[in-house]
Amino acid sequence: MSAQLSQNLLLAVPLAPLVGAVVAGLFGKQVGRKGAHTVTILGVLVAFILSAMTLESVINDGARFNQTIYEWMVVGGLKMEVGFLVDGLTAMMMCVVTFVSLMVHIYTIGYMEEDPGYQRFFSYISLFTFSMLMLVMSNNMLQLFFGWEAVGLVSYLLIGFWYTKPTAIFANMKAFLVNRVGDFGFILGIGLLVAYGGSLNYTETFAKAGELAQIKFTAPLWGSDWMMLSVACICLFIGAMGKSAQFPLHVWLPDSMEGPTPISALIHAATMVTAGIFMVARMSPLFELSDTALNFILVIGSITALFMGFLGIIQNDIKRVVAYSTLSQLGYMTVALGASAYSVAVFHLMTHAFFKALLFLGAGSVIIGMHHDQDIRNMGGLWKYMKVTWITSLLGSLALIGTPFFSGFYSKDSIIEAVHASHLPAAQWAYYAVIIGVFVTAFYSFRMYFLVFHGKENFRHKPFPGEHDHHDDHGHHEPHVPHESPWVVTLPLALLAVPSVLIGYFTIAPMLHGDFFKDAIFINHQVHHAMTELGHEFHGAAAMAVHGLQTLPFWLALGGVVTAYLFYMVWPAVPATLARVLRPLIVVLENKYFMDWINENILAKAARGLGLVFWKAGDGAVIDGVLINGSAHAVGGIAGLVRRVQTGHLYWYALVMILGVIGLMTWQLWPYMWPQLKTLTGL
């Protein structure tokens, strides 16, 4: 029998960061900068320790928790509750979220040291941590939606943290609006499940999955029968497309780099963008019953994995390169979901959280060292000045491209093999997309690495942004030399580098081929064979890594690294030549496949035009003109007629009374008078 977890312990996990957020946010002036970062870091540290204790109980004691904490209200038999569901999936997510958040909090002390919004920033990131914990710990769709919207709200505040910067305000509004599109689909999916399943609770809904899969309804426009569950799952995934930045709802994520670097790591590494991946894995009992939804997921994920990687090749902003890398890797996770390899998707979510947070924070360290210049063309040779950042960034890059024995290898290669083993119609295209993506990822990752840390020191030829050329006493140019970041920045880099290298090796067996997710993820092995075939081919982490040295993904990754080295270290004229030859293609990539143009000039204008029609014709003409103003005009007209009758003259009232009496008598006597009139007149 499974051990039970303490309700109070679980309550403390999300509440500890919330307390820190409230103190830093509402009493920031009173506690000061040191007080703000102390209370928020302490809150997240408590959450991490309790999450680690929870994970230990789940692994060693088989502990589980699925209870209602607070019943908010009951509407027509539908219970709206706050409750926690803790199993292997939840416990792992709790640890990843709190650990990465803790590293980001510590890193922020150095990165935001001189920012006037210091306390406000710590309040926001702690509130973000609370929101994400509420999302992953929920046992019902109402609380899931609360956490879903809360992380969206706080990300809006964080992306636009520098609210006097026009590009930041545009970016956070863009993120907010794009996510509203996804969230509309998400709430429709939840609504369908509640309407037909009668419950918001996960366990109760999953228990009716078989019944829900039998329900069909006629599509209003096409006239054919649709499976309700397929429609609901696709709607849920549209929500995931917004949060996890899948094509075509990906456009907000690159622009969100306008926020401070620490939040780039927190949003894009382990928290908000992984919410969609987590949600689909949690809903696996439903998605497993709809091949239509799984094929849709495969197509969207493969497009994102490949084509967002292409965009990373032409980026020159160090944070945007890492951002497009995140988009591409989220595509890999989504592809794994579509292949019914949910545990592989979550495994890559975990490994990616560590090495992508490492890369984002490493990029931030470079930006500090370069006095906030983010253009990689102005860098080069930084390894001599920033040894810790250089080594940790190299480790993160090697993990990202799937180098054998690194964490990213185990999760990324498992995704490729799972897609290859899938028998769904869309799996073949997805396999080619993720295979090509291996070369692309290696190329743009090491293009950035070589341009930043090796080669010619381009920063010696120009002052940093906002600075003037400095000269010594003899009038010679004296450039500012980059410097290593303070320990509060480099310590999180070192701590994140350890799991980036090692965690995949030690966790692949229990997470993919053991029973770690046994009661959290459901797979119909009789129909979807990917995980079964992966299990047959797995002979241990070491053997997998050794075999990986002989596989196509390894040689493609090596080819990407070598190509990047030759292009940018040996023959730097080649990329410029290719850019001229392939100019039409470069224009398409520079304009991000014209998705922003389509959104702003077609979809947004169409939506605005439709809104204008509803405003002028519906609201203005019908509602205001007829229903509201029309009734007012009618009352006014009648009142005007009545007012003319009320003259105030006695003779007029007497005349009206006499006419009234005559009219009344005529009306009463008319039935008797009419026959006599007809006789007299001969009618």
Side-chain angles (χ1 to χ4, degrees):
M1 183 175 177
S2 298
Q4 286 295 315
L5 294 164
S6 165
Q7 175 177 306
N8 292 333
L9 181 147
L10 294 176
L11 264 173
V13 175
L15 290 182
L18 178 62
V19 170
V22 171
V23 172
L26 299 183
F27 307 101
K29 290 184 178 180
Q30 288 81 355
V31 300
R33 288 176 169 242
K34 187 175 181 180
H37 73 234
T38 300
V39 70
T40 51
I41 290 174
L42 184 62
V44 177
L45 177 62
V46 168
F48 171 63
I49 293 171
L50 295 179
S51 297
M53 291 169 56
T54 301
L55 181 62
E56 188 272 336
S57 296
V58 167
I59 294 172
N60 295 330
D61 304 329
R64 296 293 185 269
F65 187 91
N66 184 11
Q67 292 181 23
T68 297
I69 304 297
Y70 171 71
E71 186 176 281
W72 178 29
M73 62 180 175
V74 179
V75 181
L78 185 66
K79 295 181 179 179
M80 298 186 179
E81 304 167 328
V82 176
F84 295 148
L85 167 61
V86 178
D87 50 23
L89 177 59
T90 302
M92 183 276 295
M93 287 294 295
M94 288 165 62
C95 285
V96 169
V97 169
T98 52
F99 178 74
V100 173
S101 179
L102 180 61
M103 295 300 101
V104 169
H105 276 70
I106 296 171
Y107 177 96
T108 299
I109 297 174
Y111 192 88
M112 303 291 287
E113 183 180 9
E114 300 176 0
D115 197 287
Y118 191 83
Q119 294 97 314
R120 179 165 56 94
F121 189 82
F122 273 99
S123 175
Y124 285 172
I125 56 177
S126 275
L127 186 60
F128 193 101
T129 308
F130 158 75
S131 302
M132 192 66 194
L133 287 169
M134 289 295 286
L135 188 156
V136 301
M137 295 175 70
S138 64
N139 74 343
N140 63 85
M141 288 177 275
L142 177 67
Q143 188 176 329
L144 172 72
F145 190 73
F146 163 77
W148 194 270
E149 293 302 308
V151 293
L153 171 63
V154 184
S155 70
Y156 166 82
L157 297 173
L158 284 164
I159 294 168
F161 179 78
W162 289 317
Y163 53 82
T164 58
K165 188 179 176 184
T167 52
I169 297 303
F170 179 83
N172 74 346
M173 184 58 69
K174 186 175 183 179
F176 190 82
L177 292 175
V178 171
N179 274 277
R180 296 287 67 70
V181 175
D183 292 353
F184 180 67
F186 187 56
I187 199 168
L188 285 178
I190 291 176
L192 280 171
L193 293 176
V194 172
Y196 288 95
S199 176
L200 286 161
N201 187 274
Y202 291 156
T203 306
E204 295 175 7
T205 302
F206 297 160
K208 297 180 180 179
E211 300 174 25
L212 296 175
Q214 304 303 316
I215 298 173
K216 296 181 180 180
F217 52 73
T218 302
L221 297 178
W222 288 267
S224 58
D225 287 340
W226 285 4
M227 284 180 58
M228 186 282 298
L229 197 60
S230 291
V231 176
C233 287
I234 289 173
C235 286
L236 290 175
F237 181 68
I238 289 172
M241 287 166 62
K243 276 290 179 289
S244 295
Q246 296 297 291
F247 178 89
L249 300 182
H250 67 280
V251 293
W252 66 270
L253 191 140
D255 288 353
S256 67
M257 295 298 104
E258 294 294 336
T261 297
I263 201 53
S264 298
L266 192 58
I267 292 178
H268 308 131
T271 52
M272 177 174 164
V273 295
T274 60
I277 308 299
F278 165 81
M279 182 272 293
V280 175
R282 175 59 78 198
M283 300 288 185
S284 59
L286 305 178
F287 281 87
E288 272 300 279
L289 300 179
S290 174
D291 281 3
T292 303
L294 293 177
N295 277 291
F296 180 71
I297 292 171
L298 272 172
V299 171
I300 295 296
S302 56
I303 291 172
T304 307
L306 180 58
F307 290 97
M308 296 306 108
F310 286 146
L311 294 180
I313 295 173
I314 55 103
Q315 299 300 316
N316 295 312
D317 183 311
I318 187 170
K319 286 171 64 176
R320 286 182 181 267
V321 176
V322 186
Y324 279 109
S325 163
T326 301
L327 279 170
S328 181
Q329 296 307 304
L330 287 166
Y332 274 83
M333 298 177 210
T334 303
V335 164
L337 295 172
S340 290
Y342 305 99
S343 56
V344 177
V346 174
F347 183 48
H348 192 51
L349 182 160
M350 178 190 72
T351 61
H352 174 264
F354 295 116
F355 61 73
K356 187 52 60 69
L358 172 60
L359 287 171
F360 264 119
L361 298 184
S365 180
V366 169
I367 293 168
I368 294 172
M370 290 293 295
H371 301 268
H372 295 275
D373 185 357
Q374 298 183 195
D375 194 326
I376 59 177
R377 295 169 296 185
N378 298 336
M379 302 178 189
L382 295 186
W383 73 274
K384 290 179 287 188
Y385 309 100
M386 309 179 72
K387 295 285 178 67
V388 176
T389 304
W390 164 53
I391 290 294
T392 53
S393 295
L394 175 60
L395 295 175
S397 298
L398 290 171
L400 171 62
I401 69 172
T403 307
F405 291 101
F406 284 73
S407 295
F409 160 77
Y410 292 104
S411 54
K412 198 170 183 179
D413 265 40
S414 296
I415 291 174
I416 294 170
E417 291 303 315
V419 177
H420 187 60
S422 176
H423 301 299
L424 291 173
Q428 187 172 7
W429 147 251
Y431 176 72
Y432 290 130
V434 294
I435 278 288
I436 298 169
V438 172
F439 176 86
V440 174
T441 302
F443 180 77
Y444 68 67
S445 297
F446 274 84
R447 168 185 176 263
M448 180 182 75
Y449 172 76
F450 289 133
L451 286 175
V452 171
F453 293 106
H454 295 278
K456 185 179 179 182
E457 296 181 359
N458 294 308
F459 55 85
R460 289 191 177 276
H461 301 282
K462 58 179 71 176
F464 293 121
E467 297 179 337
H468 301 289
D469 285 331
H470 292 265
H471 297 80
D472 60 19
D473 294 337
H474 303 286
H476 297 120
H477 178 74
E478 184 184 330
H480 276 169
V481 176
H483 56 84
E484 184 59 277
S485 301
W487 72 268
V488 288
V489 172
T490 55
L491 177 62
L493 296 180
L495 293 176
L496 285 166
V498 175
S500 297
V501 176
L502 299 176
I503 199 166
Y505 182 91
F506 292 106
T507 57
I508 183 172
M511 289 185 72
L512 299 194
H513 309 291
D515 58 359
F516 186 77
F517 294 126
K518 63 179 180 180
D519 52 357
I521 290 173
F522 170 77
I523 300 174
N524 186 354
H525 291 283
Q526 295 180 341
V527 179
H528 304 129
H529 312 286
M531 289 305 299
T532 303
E533 295 190 26
L534 252 64
H536 293 155
E537 296 173 2
F538 182 73
H539 303 291
M544 179 179 175
V546 172
H547 176 69
L549 296 169
Q550 311 165 36
T551 59
L552 178 61
F554 171 74
W555 292 105
L556 286 171
L558 182 61
V561 174
V562 171
T563 304
Y565 180 79
L566 293 175
F567 277 17
Y568 295 97
M569 295 290 104
V570 181
W571 306 316
V574 172
T577 303
L578 286 175
R580 286 194 301 270
V581 173
L582 302 174
R583 187 58 192 163
L585 177 60
I586 299 298
V587 169
V588 172
L589 294 178
E590 286 177 344
N591 286 279
K592 298 174 281 190
Y593 307 116
F594 296 99
M595 288 302 300
D596 284 337
W597 185 89
I598 292 170
N599 287 333
E600 293 168 18
N601 292 282
I602 298 178
L603 298 180
K605 286 186 177 179
R608 185 179 176 86
L610 185 62
L612 198 62
V613 170
F614 285 137
W615 173 33
K616 293 293 186 181
D619 191 33
V622 177
I623 297 176
D624 286 344
V626 176
L627 299 180
I628 297 175
N629 294 336
S631 59
H633 291 154
V635 171
I638 295 170
L641 292 174
V642 172
R643 188 163 57 248
R644 292 180 181 277
V645 174
Q646 300 296 329
T647 63
H649 297 295
L650 186 59
Y651 66 83
W652 168 253
Y653 293 145
L655 176 62
V656 170
M657 290 175 62
I658 293 170
L659 291 175
V661 171
I662 293 172
L664 181 62
M665 292 177 62
T666 303
W667 177 61
Q668 291 292 329
L669 297 174
W670 186 254
Y672 306 102
M673 293 171 62
W674 177 244
Q676 301 298 326
L677 288 173
K678 285 199 298 183
T679 303
L680 292 172
T681 57
L683 295 175

